[in-house]
Amino acid sequence: MKRITTELVDDLDGGIIGQGDGGTVSFGLDGKHYEIDLTNANAEQLRSALSPFIAKARSASSARAAAPATKAPGRKRASAGSSAETQAIREWAQANGYPVGDRGRIAAEIREAYAAAK
C-alpha cells in the first residue's frame, strides 16, 4: 500500500501548518493579487499590519479592479501573438523551468523572459 501525504507549509517561517491551524490568505496590492500560506498567528500578523490602511480604504468591486483604467471604446485587445509563437514560448518556458501550462494565457513575465533570451 502506498500513502501520499501533503503538508501545507507557512510561506513566512517555513513551519508546518496543521489541520485547522492556518491556510491560504489572499490579498491584493497595486492591481496584483497574491496568495500566501500562513499559520493563524502569521495570518493575524498580516491582517493587523494592514488594518490601519484597510480602515481608511474604499472597497473596490472585482469587476472594477480588473478593468483597465483607460480603455478606448470600440477597440479590441491586441492579440498576444501568433499560435506558432505562443507554442514556441510555451516550449521554451517548460524547458527553462518556468511554470506554464499546455493551454491558456502565458504570463507577461514569461513572455518578457523569452524575448530577453532571444
Side-chain angles (χ1 to χ4, degrees):
M1 177 167 78
K2 183 184 217 181
R3 181 178 294 177
I4 298 173
T5 304
T6 303
E7 293 181 320
L8 190 60
V9 177
D10 187 299
D11 291 328
L12 191 62
D13 64 21
I16 304 296
I17 300 173
Q19 180 108 13
D21 292 333
T24 303
V25 177
S26 300
F27 62 98
L29 181 65
D30 295 335
K32 293 185 179 181
H33 299 282
Y34 302 92
E35 287 186 345
I36 187 168
D37 299 324
L38 297 171
T39 61
N40 289 335
N42 284 337
E44 183 54 38
Q45 270 189 294
L46 175 62
R47 289 182 179 99
S48 293
L50 294 175
S51 68
F53 301 96
I54 293 170
K56 299 291 183 178
R58 294 178 301 280
S59 181
S61 71
S62 60
R64 179 178 169 200
T70 57
K71 181 180 176 191
R75 292 188 62 191
K76 291 187 178 185
R77 185 168 179 231
S79 172
S82 71
S83 61
E85 180 185 34
T86 300
Q87 185 59 33
I89 295 170
R90 208 176 291 286
E91 289 171 2
W92 175 88
Q94 290 170 341
N96 288 280
Y98 287 90
V100 63
D102 293 331
R103 299 178 54 190
R105 188 167 178 234
I106 299 174
E109 295 83 13
I110 295 174
R111 288 184 176 278
E112 290 165 6
Y114 173 79
K118 281 185 97 178

